Protein backbone atom coordinates (compact mmCIF):
# COMPACT_ATOMS: atom_id res chain seq x y z
CA UNK A 1 0.00 0.00 0.00
CA UNK A 2 1.35 3.42 -0.88
CA UNK A 3 1.18 5.78 2.05
CA UNK A 4 2.32 9.37 2.01
CA UNK A 5 5.70 9.84 3.60
CA UNK A 6 5.66 13.08 5.54
CA UNK A 7 6.98 16.39 5.53
CA UNK A 8 6.80 20.03 5.98
CA UNK A 9 8.98 24.55 6.78
CA UNK A 10 7.53 25.88 7.34
CA UNK A 11 9.02 28.75 4.02
CA UNK A 12 4.96 28.88 4.95
CA UNK A 13 3.01 28.37 2.40
CA UNK A 14 1.95 30.75 -0.23
CA UNK A 15 -1.20 32.08 -1.85
CA UNK A 16 -1.48 31.37 -5.54
CA UNK A 17 -4.45 32.87 -7.36
CA UNK A 18 -4.03 30.88 -10.58
CA UNK A 19 -6.45 28.00 -10.44
CA UNK A 20 -7.28 27.17 -14.05
CA UNK A 21 -3.94 25.59 -14.93
CA UNK A 22 -3.92 23.45 -11.78
CA UNK A 23 -7.49 22.31 -12.29
CA UNK A 24 -6.97 21.52 -15.96
CA UNK A 25 -3.77 19.60 -15.23
CA UNK A 26 -5.47 17.53 -12.54
CA UNK A 27 -8.57 16.78 -14.60
CA UNK A 28 -6.62 15.73 -17.70
CA UNK A 29 -4.36 13.40 -15.75
CA UNK A 30 -7.12 11.89 -13.67
CA UNK A 31 -9.94 11.54 -16.18
CA UNK A 32 -8.32 11.12 -19.57
CA UNK A 33 -5.15 9.13 -18.98
CA UNK A 34 -4.91 6.16 -21.36
CA UNK A 35 -2.86 4.16 -18.85
CA UNK A 36 -4.31 1.41 -16.71
CA UNK A 37 -5.45 2.62 -13.33
CA UNK A 38 -3.37 1.51 -10.34
CA UNK A 39 -4.83 1.15 -6.88
CA UNK A 40 -2.89 1.91 -3.70
CA UNK A 41 -5.53 0.69 -1.27
CA UNK A 42 -7.43 -2.63 -1.23
CA UNK A 43 -10.11 -0.93 -3.36
CA UNK A 44 -9.47 0.91 -6.59
CA UNK A 45 -11.65 4.04 -6.44
CA UNK A 46 -10.12 6.01 -9.32
CA UNK A 47 -13.06 5.34 -11.65
CA UNK A 48 -15.80 5.45 -9.02
CA UNK A 49 -18.28 8.21 -8.21
CA UNK A 50 -16.71 8.57 -4.75
CA UNK A 51 -13.31 9.09 -6.37
CA UNK A 52 -14.61 11.79 -8.70
CA UNK A 53 -16.32 13.50 -5.75
CA UNK A 54 -13.02 13.51 -3.84
CA UNK A 55 -11.09 14.98 -6.78
CA UNK A 56 -13.78 17.61 -7.32
CA UNK A 57 -13.69 18.59 -3.64
CA UNK A 58 -9.93 18.94 -3.70
CA UNK A 59 -10.02 21.10 -6.83
CA UNK A 60 -12.79 23.26 -5.36
CA UNK A 61 -10.94 23.65 -2.05
CA UNK A 62 -7.72 24.55 -3.79
CA UNK A 63 -9.53 27.07 -5.97
CA UNK A 64 -10.77 28.79 -2.80
CA UNK A 65 -7.22 28.76 -1.43
CA UNK A 66 -5.91 30.47 -4.55
CA UNK A 67 -8.64 33.10 -4.29
CA UNK A 68 -7.70 33.91 -0.70
CA UNK A 69 -6.77 37.52 -1.51
CA UNK A 70 -10.09 38.18 -3.23
CA UNK A 71 -12.29 36.30 -0.74
CA UNK A 72 -10.43 37.43 2.41
CA UNK A 73 -10.83 33.90 3.75
CA UNK A 74 -7.99 32.04 5.44
CA UNK A 75 -6.54 29.30 3.26
CA UNK A 76 -6.81 26.62 5.95
CA UNK A 77 -10.63 26.60 6.00
CA UNK A 78 -11.45 25.00 2.63
CA UNK A 79 -8.74 22.32 2.80
CA UNK A 80 -9.72 21.33 6.35
CA UNK A 81 -13.31 20.80 5.25
CA UNK A 82 -12.25 19.01 2.06
CA UNK A 83 -9.94 16.67 4.01
CA UNK A 84 -12.75 15.75 6.40
CA UNK A 85 -15.24 15.02 3.61
CA UNK A 86 -12.72 13.06 1.50
CA UNK A 87 -11.85 10.74 4.37
CA UNK A 88 -15.51 10.45 5.33
CA UNK A 89 -16.27 9.28 1.77
CA UNK A 90 -13.38 6.80 1.97
CA UNK A 91 -14.59 5.54 5.34
CA UNK A 92 -18.15 5.08 4.06
CA UNK A 93 -16.99 3.11 1.01
CA UNK A 94 -14.71 0.88 3.07
CA UNK A 95 -17.33 0.26 5.77
CA UNK A 96 -19.79 -0.85 3.09
CA UNK A 97 -17.09 -3.10 1.64
CA UNK A 98 -16.43 -4.66 5.06
CA UNK A 99 -12.89 -3.22 5.27
CA UNK A 100 -13.08 -0.46 7.91
CA UNK A 101 -9.66 -1.30 9.40
CA UNK A 102 -7.83 -0.57 6.14
CA UNK A 103 -9.14 3.00 5.93
CA UNK A 104 -8.50 3.63 9.62
CA UNK A 105 -4.93 2.39 9.36
CA UNK A 106 -4.20 4.57 6.32
CA UNK A 107 -5.64 7.64 8.02
CA UNK A 108 -3.63 7.06 11.21
CA UNK A 109 -0.37 6.64 9.27
CA UNK A 110 -0.94 9.87 7.37
CA UNK A 111 -1.90 11.69 10.58
CA UNK A 112 1.22 10.43 12.39
CA UNK A 113 3.46 11.71 9.63
CA UNK A 114 1.76 15.11 9.74
CA UNK A 115 2.16 15.28 13.53
CA UNK A 116 5.92 14.74 13.27
CA UNK A 117 6.15 17.61 10.82
CA UNK A 118 3.84 19.81 12.86
CA UNK A 119 6.08 19.52 15.93
CA UNK A 120 9.19 20.21 13.87
CA UNK A 121 7.79 23.35 12.26
CA UNK A 122 6.18 24.57 15.46
CA UNK A 123 9.54 24.64 17.25
CA UNK A 124 11.27 26.32 14.29
CA UNK A 125 8.56 29.00 14.13
CA UNK A 126 8.76 29.53 17.89
CA UNK A 127 12.51 30.17 17.72
CA UNK A 128 12.11 32.57 14.77
CA UNK A 129 9.40 34.48 16.64
CA UNK A 130 11.55 34.53 19.77
CA UNK A 131 14.46 36.04 17.84
CA UNK A 132 12.10 38.57 16.31
CA UNK A 133 10.76 39.49 19.77
CA UNK A 134 14.33 39.88 21.08
CA UNK A 135 14.87 42.27 18.12
CA UNK A 136 17.59 40.25 16.40
CA UNK A 137 16.18 41.09 12.96
CA UNK A 138 15.58 44.72 13.90
CA UNK A 139 19.24 45.03 14.86
CA UNK A 140 20.33 43.69 11.49
CA UNK A 141 18.01 46.09 9.72
CA UNK A 142 19.28 49.04 11.79
CA UNK A 143 22.91 48.22 11.01
CA UNK A 144 22.24 48.19 7.30
CA UNK A 145 20.25 51.44 7.35
CA UNK A 146 22.95 53.34 9.24
CA UNK A 147 25.75 52.37 6.85
CA UNK A 148 24.48 54.52 4.00
CA UNK A 149 25.20 51.99 1.25
CA UNK A 150 24.77 52.93 -2.42
CA UNK A 151 21.72 51.61 -4.22
CA UNK A 152 23.69 48.96 -6.10
CA UNK A 153 25.44 47.85 -2.91
CA UNK A 154 22.13 47.73 -1.08
CA UNK A 155 20.68 45.65 -3.93
CA UNK A 156 23.45 43.09 -3.57
CA UNK A 157 23.57 43.09 0.24
CA UNK A 158 19.83 42.52 0.67
CA UNK A 159 19.87 39.80 -2.01
CA UNK A 160 22.87 37.98 -0.55
CA UNK A 161 21.50 38.23 3.00
CA UNK A 162 18.11 36.97 1.81
CA UNK A 163 19.85 34.03 0.15
CA UNK A 164 21.78 32.97 3.25
CA UNK A 165 19.20 33.81 5.93
CA UNK A 166 16.56 31.77 4.10
CA UNK A 167 18.69 28.65 4.63
CA UNK A 168 17.51 28.61 8.26
CA UNK A 169 14.54 31.00 8.34
CA UNK A 170 11.46 30.71 6.14
CA UNK A 171 11.45 32.74 2.95
CA UNK A 172 8.45 34.77 4.15
CA UNK A 173 10.25 36.19 7.22
CA UNK A 174 13.47 36.71 5.26
CA UNK A 175 11.81 38.55 2.39
CA UNK A 176 9.79 40.85 4.64
CA UNK A 177 12.89 41.77 6.66
CA UNK A 178 14.89 42.69 3.57
CA UNK A 179 11.95 44.55 2.03
CA UNK A 180 11.65 46.64 5.19
CA UNK A 181 15.32 47.62 4.84
CA UNK A 182 14.98 48.61 1.19
CA UNK A 183 11.76 50.54 1.76
CA UNK A 184 13.34 52.45 4.66
CA UNK A 185 16.53 53.42 2.83
CA UNK A 186 15.11 54.10 -0.66
CA UNK A 187 11.78 55.59 0.37
CA UNK A 188 10.06 57.13 -2.64
CA UNK A 189 12.14 55.40 -5.35
CA UNK A 190 9.48 52.96 -6.54
CA UNK A 191 11.48 51.55 -9.46
CA UNK A 192 14.42 50.62 -7.24
CA UNK A 193 12.24 49.18 -4.49
CA UNK A 194 10.35 47.04 -7.03
CA UNK A 195 13.61 45.74 -8.52
CA UNK A 196 14.97 44.95 -5.06
CA UNK A 197 11.77 43.11 -4.12
CA UNK A 198 12.07 40.90 -7.20
CA UNK A 199 15.71 40.23 -6.32
CA UNK A 200 14.80 39.40 -2.72
CA UNK A 201 12.05 36.96 -3.76
CA UNK A 202 14.41 35.12 -6.13
CA UNK A 203 17.21 35.07 -3.53
CA UNK A 204 15.07 33.84 -0.64
CA UNK A 205 13.57 31.03 -2.72
CA UNK A 206 16.98 29.99 -4.07
CA UNK A 207 18.59 30.06 -0.64
CA UNK A 208 16.03 27.70 0.82
CA UNK A 209 16.47 25.14 -1.96
CA UNK A 210 19.81 23.71 -0.83
CA UNK A 211 19.19 23.59 2.92
CA UNK A 212 17.17 20.86 4.68
CA UNK A 213 15.74 23.61 6.89
CA UNK A 214 15.38 26.25 4.21
CA UNK A 215 11.99 25.31 2.88
CA UNK A 216 9.11 23.03 3.72
CA UNK A 217 9.74 21.08 0.51
CA UNK A 218 13.40 20.38 1.35
CA UNK A 219 12.37 19.38 4.85
CA UNK A 220 9.80 17.00 3.38
CA UNK A 221 12.39 15.28 1.19
CA UNK A 222 14.89 15.00 4.05
CA UNK A 223 12.42 13.63 6.59
CA UNK A 224 11.19 11.12 4.04
CA UNK A 225 14.76 9.76 3.94
CA UNK A 226 15.05 10.29 0.17
CA UNK A 227 18.20 12.44 0.39
CA UNK A 228 20.72 12.43 3.25
CA UNK A 229 21.22 15.65 5.22
CA UNK A 230 24.58 16.45 3.64
CA UNK A 231 23.27 15.60 0.17
CA UNK A 232 21.26 18.82 -0.08
CA UNK A 233 24.39 20.95 0.00
CA UNK A 234 25.32 19.72 -3.48
CA UNK A 235 22.54 22.08 -4.63
CA UNK A 236 24.47 25.12 -3.39
CA UNK A 237 26.04 25.72 -6.81
CA UNK A 238 22.75 25.45 -8.77
CA UNK A 239 20.97 27.61 -6.18
CA UNK A 240 23.64 30.31 -6.44
CA UNK A 241 23.35 30.24 -10.23
CA UNK A 242 19.57 30.54 -9.96
CA UNK A 243 19.99 33.71 -7.89
CA UNK A 244 23.05 35.27 -9.57
CA UNK A 245 21.97 35.07 -13.22
CA UNK A 246 18.90 37.35 -12.87
CA UNK A 247 20.57 39.45 -10.14
CA UNK A 248 23.53 40.35 -12.37
CA UNK A 249 21.23 41.34 -15.23
CA UNK A 250 18.88 43.37 -12.98
CA UNK A 251 21.78 45.18 -11.28
CA UNK A 252 22.72 46.72 -14.66
CA UNK A 253 19.42 48.64 -14.64
CA UNK A 254 19.98 50.33 -11.26
CA UNK A 255 20.54 54.08 -11.11
CA UNK A 256 23.47 53.87 -8.72
CA UNK A 257 23.28 56.72 -6.22
CA UNK A 258 23.80 56.96 -2.47
CA UNK A 259 20.85 57.79 -0.21
CA UNK A 260 21.30 59.80 2.94
CA UNK A 261 22.19 57.62 5.95
CA UNK A 262 19.54 57.40 8.67
CA UNK A 263 20.14 57.76 12.40
CA UNK A 264 18.39 54.80 13.93
CA UNK A 265 19.63 52.97 17.03
CA UNK A 266 18.29 49.55 17.96
CA UNK A 267 19.30 47.45 20.97
CA UNK A 268 18.69 43.76 21.04
CA UNK A 269 16.85 42.59 24.13
CA UNK A 270 18.51 40.60 26.84
CA UNK A 271 19.26 36.99 25.87
CA UNK A 272 18.98 37.56 22.09
CA UNK A 273 22.41 36.15 21.22
CA UNK A 274 21.93 33.16 23.49
CA UNK A 275 18.58 32.35 21.84
CA UNK A 276 20.30 32.38 18.43
CA UNK A 277 22.90 29.92 19.80
CA UNK A 278 20.16 27.74 21.30
CA UNK A 279 18.43 27.63 17.93
CA UNK A 280 21.63 26.50 16.21
CA UNK A 281 22.12 23.88 18.94
CA UNK A 282 18.56 22.66 18.43
CA UNK A 283 19.14 22.26 14.69
CA UNK A 284 22.31 20.24 15.38
CA UNK A 285 20.45 17.97 17.82
CA UNK A 286 17.65 17.39 15.30
CA UNK A 287 20.18 16.44 12.63
CA UNK A 288 22.00 14.04 15.00
CA UNK A 289 18.70 12.43 16.04
CA UNK A 290 17.92 11.68 12.41
CA UNK A 291 21.37 10.71 11.11
CA UNK A 292 22.93 8.98 14.14
CA UNK A 293 20.03 7.65 16.20
CA UNK A 294 17.63 7.12 13.26
CA UNK A 295 14.86 8.81 15.23
CA UNK A 296 12.50 11.49 13.88
CA UNK A 297 14.08 14.99 13.80
CA UNK A 298 11.02 16.23 15.71
CA UNK A 299 12.54 14.63 18.83
CA UNK A 300 15.56 16.91 18.63
CA UNK A 301 13.43 19.96 17.90
CA UNK A 302 11.15 19.34 20.87
CA UNK A 303 14.21 18.89 23.09
CA UNK A 304 15.41 22.26 21.83
CA UNK A 305 12.04 23.76 22.74
CA UNK A 306 12.63 22.50 26.27
CA UNK A 307 15.98 24.32 26.31
CA UNK A 308 14.23 27.52 25.21
CA UNK A 309 11.67 27.11 27.97
CA UNK A 310 14.38 26.70 30.60
CA UNK A 311 16.17 29.77 29.24
CA UNK A 312 12.91 31.72 29.31
CA UNK A 313 12.48 30.70 32.96
CA UNK A 314 16.00 31.96 33.71
CA UNK A 315 15.30 35.28 31.94
CA UNK A 316 12.13 35.83 33.96
CA UNK A 317 13.66 34.96 37.34
CA UNK A 318 16.79 37.03 36.79
CA UNK A 319 15.03 40.02 35.19
CA UNK A 320 14.73 42.21 38.34
CA UNK A 321 18.45 41.81 39.17
CA UNK A 322 19.41 42.48 35.55
CA UNK A 323 17.34 45.66 35.39
CA UNK A 324 18.81 46.93 38.64
CA UNK A 325 22.40 46.35 37.45
CA UNK A 326 21.73 48.07 34.14
CA UNK A 327 19.96 50.99 35.80
CA UNK A 328 23.01 51.59 37.99
CA UNK A 329 25.42 51.26 35.05
CA UNK A 330 23.47 53.57 32.74
CA UNK A 331 22.99 56.16 35.49
CA UNK A 332 26.72 56.28 36.10
CA UNK A 333 27.38 56.72 32.36
CA UNK A 334 24.61 59.24 31.94
CA UNK A 335 23.15 57.11 29.10
CA UNK A 336 19.58 58.37 29.47
CA UNK A 337 18.29 56.78 26.24
CA UNK A 338 19.17 53.29 27.40
CA UNK A 339 17.99 54.10 30.91
CA UNK A 340 14.61 55.16 29.53
CA UNK A 341 14.34 51.95 27.49
CA UNK A 342 14.45 49.88 30.68
CA UNK A 343 10.94 51.08 31.44
CA UNK A 344 9.58 49.01 28.53
CA UNK A 345 11.28 45.74 29.47
CA UNK A 346 8.85 42.81 29.75
CA UNK A 347 9.60 39.19 30.74
CA UNK A 348 10.22 36.68 27.99
CA UNK A 349 7.38 34.15 27.58
CA UNK A 350 7.91 31.06 25.42
CA UNK A 351 4.21 30.31 25.12
CA UNK A 352 3.46 33.76 23.75
CA UNK A 353 5.98 32.95 21.00
CA UNK A 354 4.22 29.65 20.28
CA UNK A 355 0.91 31.49 20.08
CA UNK A 356 2.37 33.75 17.38
CA UNK A 357 3.20 30.81 15.12
CA UNK A 358 1.62 30.67 11.68
CA UNK A 359 -1.31 28.49 12.70
CA UNK A 360 -3.17 29.11 9.49
CA UNK A 361 -0.18 27.74 7.58
CA UNK A 362 0.13 24.73 9.88
CA UNK A 363 -3.57 23.92 9.56
CA UNK A 364 -3.43 24.47 5.81
CA UNK A 365 -0.65 21.92 5.60
CA UNK A 366 -2.73 19.45 7.63
CA UNK A 367 -5.54 19.85 5.12
CA UNK A 368 -3.20 19.40 2.15
CA UNK A 369 -1.49 16.33 3.65
CA UNK A 370 -4.77 14.65 4.51
CA UNK A 371 -6.37 15.49 1.14
CA UNK A 372 -3.38 14.20 -0.81
CA UNK A 373 -3.17 11.16 1.48
CA UNK A 374 -6.83 10.39 0.82
CA UNK A 375 -6.48 10.75 -2.94
CA UNK A 376 -3.38 8.57 -2.79
CA UNK A 377 -5.26 5.88 -0.87
CA UNK A 378 -7.94 5.96 -3.56
CA UNK A 379 -5.29 5.29 -6.21
CA UNK A 380 -4.87 8.67 -7.90
CA UNK A 381 -1.23 9.20 -6.94
CA UNK A 382 -0.30 5.87 -8.40
CA UNK A 383 -2.12 6.89 -11.57
CA UNK A 384 -0.32 10.24 -11.65
CA UNK A 385 3.02 8.55 -11.05
CA UNK A 386 2.44 6.19 -13.96
CA UNK A 387 1.34 9.04 -16.22
CA UNK A 388 4.18 11.42 -15.35
CA UNK A 389 7.14 9.31 -14.35
CA UNK A 390 6.52 6.15 -16.38
CA UNK A 391 5.43 7.99 -19.50
CA UNK A 392 8.14 10.67 -19.29
CA UNK A 393 11.81 10.79 -18.42
CA UNK A 394 11.98 11.65 -14.67
CA UNK A 395 14.31 14.57 -15.40
CA UNK A 396 11.80 16.23 -17.74
CA UNK A 397 8.95 15.44 -15.33
CA UNK A 398 10.79 17.19 -12.50
CA UNK A 399 11.59 20.23 -14.63
CA UNK A 400 7.93 20.59 -15.68
CA UNK A 401 6.73 20.19 -12.08
CA UNK A 402 9.06 23.05 -11.13
CA UNK A 403 7.37 25.26 -13.71
CA UNK A 404 3.97 24.18 -12.37
CA UNK A 405 5.06 25.26 -8.87
CA UNK A 406 5.04 28.85 -10.15
CA UNK A 407 1.26 28.52 -10.27
CA UNK A 408 0.43 25.69 -7.88
CA UNK A 409 1.74 25.76 -4.31
CA UNK A 410 5.01 23.83 -4.06
CA UNK A 411 3.90 22.03 -0.86
CA UNK A 412 1.15 19.89 -2.46
CA UNK A 413 3.37 19.42 -5.54
CA UNK A 414 6.21 18.03 -3.45
CA UNK A 415 3.97 16.04 -1.13
CA UNK A 416 2.27 14.44 -4.12
CA UNK A 417 5.63 13.45 -5.66
CA UNK A 418 6.86 11.96 -2.36
CA UNK A 419 3.60 10.11 -1.90
CA UNK A 420 3.87 8.67 -5.43
CA UNK A 421 7.34 7.28 -4.52
CA UNK A 422 8.59 7.17 -8.13
CA UNK A 423 11.74 5.12 -8.63
CA UNK A 424 14.27 7.94 -9.06
CA UNK A 425 17.96 8.43 -8.43
CA UNK A 426 19.22 10.78 -5.71
CA UNK A 427 20.09 13.24 -8.49
CA UNK A 428 16.47 13.39 -9.61
CA UNK A 429 15.19 13.78 -6.04
CA UNK A 430 17.59 16.69 -5.71
CA UNK A 431 16.34 18.04 -9.04
CA UNK A 432 12.68 18.10 -7.95
CA UNK A 433 13.79 19.68 -4.67
CA UNK A 434 15.57 22.41 -6.63
CA UNK A 435 12.86 23.03 -9.24
CA UNK A 436 9.96 23.02 -6.76
CA UNK A 437 11.88 25.46 -4.57
CA UNK A 438 12.97 27.98 -7.19
CA UNK A 439 10.15 27.56 -9.72
CA UNK A 440 7.94 29.80 -7.58
CA UNK A 441 10.21 32.76 -8.36
CA UNK A 442 8.90 32.92 -11.93
CA UNK A 443 5.72 34.71 -10.79
CA UNK A 444 5.06 37.03 -7.86
CA UNK A 445 2.25 34.71 -6.75
CA UNK A 446 4.51 31.66 -7.00
CA UNK A 447 5.83 31.78 -3.43
CA UNK A 448 4.94 33.01 0.04
CA UNK A 449 7.73 35.58 -0.21
CA UNK A 450 6.28 37.12 -3.38
CA UNK A 451 2.74 37.26 -2.07
CA UNK A 452 3.89 38.83 1.20
CA UNK A 453 5.89 41.55 -0.53
CA UNK A 454 2.96 42.44 -2.79
CA UNK A 455 1.15 43.33 0.43
CA UNK A 456 4.10 44.93 2.19
CA UNK A 457 5.12 47.08 -0.81
CA UNK A 458 1.60 47.51 -2.12
CA UNK A 459 1.42 49.45 -5.37
CA UNK A 460 5.22 49.29 -5.80
CA UNK A 461 5.97 45.59 -6.11
CA UNK A 462 3.19 44.17 -8.30
CA UNK A 463 2.35 41.07 -10.34
CA UNK A 464 2.85 42.95 -13.60
CA UNK A 465 6.15 44.44 -12.43
CA UNK A 466 7.48 40.99 -11.55
CA UNK A 467 6.16 39.52 -14.80
CA UNK A 468 8.32 41.92 -16.84
CA UNK A 469 11.40 40.25 -15.38
CA UNK A 470 10.10 36.68 -15.69
CA UNK A 471 12.18 35.95 -18.84
CA UNK A 472 15.33 36.94 -16.93
CA UNK A 473 14.32 34.81 -13.94
CA UNK A 474 13.57 31.93 -16.33
CA UNK A 475 17.18 32.15 -17.56
CA UNK A 476 18.28 31.60 -13.98
CA UNK A 477 15.89 28.65 -13.68
CA UNK A 478 17.26 27.01 -16.82
CA UNK A 479 20.86 27.74 -15.84
CA UNK A 480 20.37 26.23 -12.36
CA UNK A 481 18.92 23.02 -13.82
CA UNK A 482 21.80 22.71 -16.29
CA UNK A 483 24.31 23.39 -13.52
CA UNK A 484 22.81 20.62 -11.40
CA UNK A 485 22.83 18.18 -14.32
CA UNK A 486 26.51 19.03 -14.90
CA UNK A 487 27.93 19.31 -11.36
CA UNK A 488 25.95 16.42 -9.87
CA UNK A 489 25.89 14.10 -12.88
CA UNK A 490 27.22 11.21 -10.77
CA UNK A 491 24.19 11.31 -8.47
CA UNK A 492 21.85 10.47 -11.35
CA UNK A 493 23.35 7.00 -11.62
CA UNK A 494 22.63 6.12 -7.98
Amino acid sequence: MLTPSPTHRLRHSARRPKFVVAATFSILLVLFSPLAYASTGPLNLTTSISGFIAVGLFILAYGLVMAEEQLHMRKSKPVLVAAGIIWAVIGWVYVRAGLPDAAESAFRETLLEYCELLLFLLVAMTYINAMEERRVFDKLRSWMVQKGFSYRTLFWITGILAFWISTVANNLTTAMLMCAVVSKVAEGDKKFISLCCINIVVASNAGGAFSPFGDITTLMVWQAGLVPFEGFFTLLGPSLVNYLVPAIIMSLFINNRTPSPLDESVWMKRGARRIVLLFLLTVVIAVLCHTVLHLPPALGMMTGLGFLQFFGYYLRRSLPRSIERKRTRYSQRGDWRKLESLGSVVPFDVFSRIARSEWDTLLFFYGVVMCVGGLGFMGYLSLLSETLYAGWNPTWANIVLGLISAVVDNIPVMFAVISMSPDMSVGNWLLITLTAGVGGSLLSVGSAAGVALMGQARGIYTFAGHLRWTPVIALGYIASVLTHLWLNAASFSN
Side-chain angles (χ1 to χ4, degrees), residues 89-208:
V89 169
I90 292 173
W92 173 252
V93 172
Y94 272 75
V95 166
R96 293 185 62 188
L99 298 169
D101 292 343
E104 180 186 7
S105 176
F107 179 84
R108 288 185 183 277
E109 287 182 26
T110 307
L111 181 63
L112 175 61
E113 293 170 346
Y114 166 76
C115 289
E116 290 181 7
L117 297 168
L118 169 67
L119 295 177
F120 190 106
L121 283 181
L122 190 60
V123 175
M125 287 179 175
T126 301
Y127 265 104
I128 294 297
N129 285 330
M131 287 187 283
E132 183 181 8
E133 190 271 341
R134 294 285 101 177
R135 308 192 74 185
V136 172
F137 299 127
D138 286 342
K139 180 65 176 179
L140 174 62
R141 173 178 173 274
S142 173
W143 174 80
M144 295 182 64
V145 166
Q146 290 181 39
K147 290 297 180 178
F149 294 118
S150 70
Y151 273 13
R152 188 163 292 158
T153 304
L154 183 66
F155 174 87
W156 281 108
I157 287 178
T158 52
I160 291 170
L161 283 176
F163 182 88
W164 290 109
I165 293 174
S166 64
T167 61
V168 292
N170 64 74
N171 62 353
L172 180 65
T173 302
T174 303
M176 294 184 73
L177 168 66
M178 293 298 108
C179 179
V181 174
V182 172
S183 300
K184 183 79 173 180
V185 177
E187 188 172 3
D189 194 332
K190 294 184 178 181
K191 180 181 177 182
F192 175 72
I193 295 174
S194 175
L195 205 59
C196 278
C197 286
I198 298 170
N199 183 52
I200 288 167
V201 169
V202 174
S204 59
N205 288 335

Side-chain angles (χ1 to χ4, degrees), residues 19 29 43 128 146 168 197 203 206 239 243 271 363 383 435:
F19 167 62
L29 284 180
L43 302 177
I128 294 297
Q146 290 181 39
V168 292
C197 286
S239 296
Y243 159 59
L363 293 175
L383 165 64
T435 57

